[in-house]
Amino acid sequence: QGREGSWSETCCEGVSGEEKGDRLDEILNRECCEGRCEEEHCEEDCCGEDEDDETVPLRACAFNGTVADFLRGEKLCCRHKHLSKHFNMNRILEYRWSSGDERTVRELFELRKMGGGAQDDAVGPKPRDPPQVLRSKFIVEGMCCSAEEGLIQALVQKMDGVERLEVNAVTRTLLVWHDTNAVKATAILQQLNEAKMEAHLASVDRKGKKWTEHLPPWSVTACCLLTLVSLGGYKYDPIKWFALPAVAVFLPQLVLKAWSGVKNCMIGIHFLMIIAVLGVFVVGTMNHSTDIIDGGVLIALFAVSEWLESKTLATARNSLEAVMALRPDAADVVGVGLVPVEDVHVGDVVAIRPGDKIPVDGVVVKGTSVVNESSLTGEARGVEKGEGSQVYAGTVNTSSYLQVVATKESADSTVAKLGDFIESCSMHKSSTEKMVESIARYYTPLILLLALSVAGAAFIPAVAPSVSERNRYIKLACNLLVAGCPCALVLSTPATMVSGLAAAANNGALIKGGQYLEVLGSMKHLAFDKTGTLTEGKYRVNGIAMAKGKSEDDLLYWLASVESQSSHPIAWAITKLAKEKGIKIADQITNYTTLAGEGVRATVQGSEVVVGNIKVAARNGWSSSEVSSLRAQYESWERQGFTVCWVGVEGQALGVFSVADMVRPGTKALVTKLVKSRVKCWILTGDNEGAALKVASKLRLRADRVKSSLTPEDKYWHVSSLKEEEEAAGRCFKASGKVGMVGDGVNDAPALAGADVGIAMGAAGTPVAMETADVVLFSDNLQKLTDTISLAKLCRRKILENILISIAIKASIIVLIFLYEDFSIVYNILSDVGGALLVITNGLSVMWSWKSVKRSLMALTGGGKDAECSAKRKDKTLNKASCGGGGCCGG
Ligand code: ADP
Ligand code: MG
């Protein structure tokens, strides 16, 4: 099935005969067998041994996670992600399984095995009755830092019916996929809150809080007040005992959290704090000194820092939520009235008044207006919309009345998908983040061990002969315990990533996870698709040449009939010309097929018509010397840099035509900037060499960086070979870089998927592009690409700063603890709190500084002076959320 079925057809389109089987084997076996099974999600027999077994490729992909997991390329059985990307490509081409299928990949493959062709499987019965799996979103206010993600996972994952979960400590968000028959969201909530995690369901409206809710919780306030009073102990000794109730008010929640950690075999900051405070009290009581006050100060500072951190991080969460809040709630359906947006179905006509947020993705059927699409594209200029124009949910109708027919259900709208993506993308960790977390995982137990040994030494008379010596050792151990909290280090990366992702989203770029932000910042190669990416993709017909005895009208009739089925920019140019010339399009057009990267084919009124590039012509023998007049014309146009296509009917060449396209404004500046920052730019195109070189010369790109006449698969191989080159460089201890690919997301799906980071441009409304690419730019303005790369670089710098800051602080504190006998535990906790707040603020500054940079850029370009928008700024309907926080209202 894997070899003969439509999967291999789509996987190896353009590869003929036996080569196809070999190519497929090569992809599957080479990529998979190198990796073997490394993760728990894989079957033992990840790579089939049996040569004759048709299911080898299927078992190779026996990945026991959901399709969504698989597409994200996480938890894969193979080190090389190409495999998932191949499946991904397949999925894109057969876009049937797209609707959030929660079946596992293995199940999908099993289905194929049982039920014949993929097409049948897609509509066939599911192998088992699906459980009622629901995704619930919780906000866990009591999550201290990423170090606690593990605890939350341990608490929830073990519950029956919980399928999987994702945690983000920065946004304090927990997503749980659970079978509602087995476990309800309330049970999960209860489990979390029993461990004092202060969780609530995200759907519970927390807006419009009372002012008192902005104050710290009573336990924090009481702890601080009592500690303040206890400070009087320095003047009048008995007052120092106020430190005891100060600790007592906050201790219960500390103990509960520590206990749930210990129960799950995790020693966290709460546990360390309890021991440290007890230690300080023991020393203080034995000494009869004011040291006891330090215990109160320690707890008070810890309580305040936890509260402050949660407040600061909520800023990051809110900025992500602002993007999700773009989803409108209600729609005014013509003839029905106001209904919840979920009840608007494809084909319903919706009325949109000036100032309204457009509720659905659809096409304008009545009226003309200017729509502010900044919420999606990040560009604050109005876009004119008339009958037939595409509009998107979440954008704002600014000038006059429109009627729009819905073309998508609200859950499938671009903005809904954007929201879903952002929510789960912020959960994906980058490699730096994972590395930092694994360091932190060893650091805490190590310090704990050190502290225990120091404390143990206190009770060895030979080491600590006097009481004061013993106390000194105990104090040292307590100090070490406090220094054992790696909060700042653990937060150094995610705080920056989340704010980077939020800044990108507000600027019209969806980045699907921190790892891609990281890759964007360290790209060494960037390959561009030509048509529609570097060029505008707005072709106009330059010339037509006919074979002997054929008329232009005849040629245009066949040509336009086939092209009427295509969405390629060449097709638009041809159908437009045919319309202008009054050429009728045939009624009967069947068997329409796209020849990927080559052209199109269809049966028009019973005759087979083929349109395509020189490869198509060569295959049909049209470009040989018998039809030399066409060949000469072809070559002449190619030399001039035109895109040239051949047209043939019933196997006979009918003629050739040439079309021309313009390079997008700003492309040259972008390429120059990239080259300056040592990124090697490539052009990968299916077009002929002449047209490709013409674009390259306009962009001052070297001719050897241009690869022409490529099929989508060739583009994939080229990107893969660049990646292999870089990986090889990495193995030889040279700096290895990453490979990016920019394309239109449909044609270039394989290459986008194969690159380290695939960037789809102008992708608003193209769900395929949103699924395939790792970075989605909603507008087709190349400036967005420059912005996004700069943002990624800024994030990289901030992360590096944060890691250095947090390591420097911890290292100097540990040195000071050992150097100075009397080093106060208060300074220690102050440095810890300060460090954590510093890295969070530094990380979040990406978002803030980016917003102000964008504002000044807009002011320079005049974008911010959008009259309608500023007028609407006063209008309540165009609230902060509808402007995406970064558009006309600038947040
Ligand atoms: P690019 O890689 O530059 O985006 P495409 O892959 O879209 O180019 O197309 C490659 C070539 O295939 C085009 O230059 C053209 O010759 C041919 N082609 C593709 N689609 C069509 C079509 N609908 N009509 C005619 N020619 C087409
Ligand atoms: Mg293209």
Side-chain angles (χ1 to χ4, degrees), residues 144-146 170 309 313 486-496 836 839-840:
C144 159
C145 63
S146 314
V170 172
E309 266 175 37
L313 293 176
C487 258
L489 181 66
V490 173
L491 282 171
S492 59
T493 320
T496 317
V839 296
I840 296 173

Side-chain angles (χ1 to χ4, degrees), residues 2 44 115 125 129 181 377 436 442 484 502 533 593 651 763 793 880:
E44 282 300 308
D129 239 10
N181 297 328
T377 62
V436 164
Y442 291 109
T533 305
T593 331
K793 291 203 162 143
K880 212 179 195 175

Side-chain angles (χ1 to χ4, degrees), residues 743-765:
D744 51 24
V746 185
N747 231 341
D748 314 308
L752 288 183
D756 290 314
V757 56
I759 306 162
M761 283 216 353

Side-chain angles (χ1 to χ4, degrees), residues 316-336:
R317 188 173 69 225
N318 292 344
S319 70
L320 281 183
E321 275 175 0
V323 181
M324 285 180 260
L326 290 169
R327 300 182 214 193
D329 310 319
D332 184 359
V333 177
V334 174
V336 179

Side-chain angles (χ1 to χ4, degrees), residues 782-800:
L782 275 173
Q783 180 62 40
K784 294 284 162 207
L785 182 58
T786 325
D787 289 353
T788 313
I789 295 176
S790 313
L791 177 71
K793 291 203 162 143
L794 179 65
C795 288
R796 242 170 84 95
R797 209 184 66 219
K798 292 280 176 189
I799 288 171
L800 196 70

